[in-house]
Amino acid sequence: MTSAASEIRSHTLSDGDVSVTILSIGAATQDWRVPDGTGRRVPVVLGYADPAAYASQGGFLGVIVGRVANRIAGSTFTLDGVTHHVTPNEGPNQLHGGPKGWWAKNWTLEADGDRAVQLTLSSPDGDMGFSGSVPAQITISLDGHRLTYDMSATCDRPTPINLANHNYYNLMGNGLIWDHQMKVNADRFTPTGGDLLPTGDIAPVEGTKYDYRQMRRIADADPTRGVSDINFALNDEKDAAVSVLAQNGLQLRMWTDQPGLQFYTGQGITAGAKPLDGQTHAPCHGIALEAQGFPDAVNQPNFPSVICTPEKPYKQVTTIEIAPRME
């Protein structure tokens, strides 16, 4: 269907009692409803009621961020001996692809029945300062309680590509997220300085507030309730990258082929536009769990490469399941 906002399209996936609404703007996941076992269908991701709000939002709610997710230090990197300057949007740094990154683009959306939707975008040479033409495609499919983001891109010359889905999850549907419990399949993380840029180290989580190797309440991991905005270096295993459990019995599990997972406790969430019915958009009312390459990988030679080439196209497959916990 076409929304009230000109040219923004939407399509709702459905399988049983689960439904997911996808928008063309930013390839955004606007609304995801899951039954919690009591008859209530919980809105498990934060979303705006008006699709037009996604074009100018500052919090990246629900969108696909790129060309390069996360931060590029100084909005500068060198590739094959050439220094590239990309468009900054967080002080001197670039965040999530710049002020008009892929999250702000209106993708072409084509429905594929009730359970899948395809989105395509053609990013021209020079887009936000990045070199090379990049056609990208995302297939979002629903199978029961599992939602899969299958993302791919090709390029006509070497260029960095690092996409991430930026859903904010609240498995209770509303309220603060501190009582959510979480387990992350990661023994290490990438520490940052005060500017949230990685130091280049890959350090053990043991003894830090990021030690989620066992299920623990987020408030217990950090009793000060400070900001967590950090990248986990995921273990190279087939187990779920992350598991989150809420008091209503809903459980999130994520599987991904990406090396990193950004965890952010949402202190920057604001009521920038009218939320979905029943939701409140305020600090710490949602957690972001972003499967991705490592932040600032273009400037950190010991991090996994995020360079796409004509011979090595970009690919990501991430699946998220949200369902009542199975005992």
Side-chain angles (χ1 to χ4, degrees):
M1 61 173 283
T2 301
S3 75
S6 177
E7 299 182 354
I8 296 178
R9 302 191 68 227
S10 69
H11 182 63
T12 298
L13 312 176
S14 61
D15 191 351
D17 291 333
V18 179
S19 65
V20 182
T21 299
I22 306 297
L23 302 177
S24 60
I25 185 70
T29 303
Q30 180 190 24
D31 193 4
W32 185 350
R33 304 273 168 160
V34 178
D36 66 358
T38 68
R40 181 184 178 222
R41 296 179 71 244
V42 180
V44 293
V45 297
L46 301 189
Y48 296 118
D50 182 3
Y54 286 83
S56 58
Q57 62 157 316
F60 307 103
L61 264 69
V63 293
I64 301 297
V65 293
R67 278 185 201 189
V68 176
N70 220 299
R71 293 171 173 87
I72 295 178
S75 301
T76 303
F77 62 93
T78 300
L79 177 60
D80 295 334
V82 177
T83 299
H84 297 262
H85 300 278
V86 295
T87 309
N89 61 325
E90 188 186 56
N93 308 316
Q94 187 186 86
L95 174 64
H96 292 329
K100 293 295 180 182
W102 289 6
W103 60 271
K105 311 288 190 186
N106 198 24
W107 296 57
T108 298
L109 181 153
E110 297 293 337
D112 184 10
D114 291 336
R115 298 188 184 178
V117 62
Q118 293 185 346
L119 300 113
T120 55
L121 179 71
S122 181
S123 178
D125 180 39
D127 188 8
M128 291 290 99
F130 292 101
S131 64
S133 299
V134 177
Q137 177 175 304
I138 303 172
T139 299
I140 304 175
S141 57
L142 179 66
D143 183 7
H145 286 263
R146 294 190 176 192
L147 188 67
T148 295
Y149 298 85
D150 188 334
M151 303 189 278
S152 61
T154 57
C155 57
D156 62 358
R157 72 191 79 170
T159 189
I161 300 178
N162 177 23
L163 305 185
N165 167 257
H166 207 293
N167 288 342
Y168 283 92
Y169 299 97
N170 188 320
L171 302 187
M172 297 298 294
N174 197 20
L176 294 165
I177 49 78
W178 298 109
D179 285 330
H180 284 56
Q181 300 176 62
M182 187 171 76
K183 178 182 178 181
V184 182
N185 188 18
D187 298 325
R188 300 178 301 162
F189 74 109
T190 54
T192 62
D195 52 7
L196 295 177
L197 289 167
T199 63
D201 296 327
I202 303 176
V205 297
E206 185 174 3
T208 75
K209 69 176 184 178
Y210 306 118
D211 189 351
Y212 284 95
R213 291 174 296 172
Q214 301 297 323
M215 186 72 76
R216 65 193 303 200
R217 186 169 162 262
I218 295 173
D220 293 337
D222 184 10
T224 68
R225 302 193 177 190
V227 177
S228 290
D229 193 359
I230 203 72
N231 171 66
F232 289 102
L234 295 173
N235 296 339
D236 187 16
E237 298 176 4
K238 298 301 182 183
D239 294 339
V242 59
S243 178
V244 179
L245 181 63
Q247 291 172 297
N248 60 1
L250 284 182
Q251 182 174 28
L252 177 153
R253 294 189 295 168
M254 177 190 291
W255 296 264
T256 185
D257 56 7
Q258 297 300 287
L261 178 77
Q262 189 79 14
F263 165 53
Y264 173 46
T265 40
Q267 274 82 356
I269 298 172
T270 61
K274 181 182 178 182
L276 297 174
D277 287 346
Q279 290 186 345
T280 301
H281 292 182
C284 307
H285 278 239
I287 54 173
L289 299 166
E290 308 156 51
Q292 58 171 10
F294 288 7
D296 199 31
V298 290
N299 291 308
Q300 301 292 347
N302 60 324
F303 286 1
S305 175
V306 295
I307 302 302
C308 172
T309 68
E311 299 75 29
K312 185 183 178 182
Y314 176 83
K315 182 72 172 177
Q316 177 183 158
V317 179
T318 295
T319 296
I320 302 108
E321 176 189 78
I322 303 178
R325 185 182 189 183
M326 300 295 292
E327 298 296 339

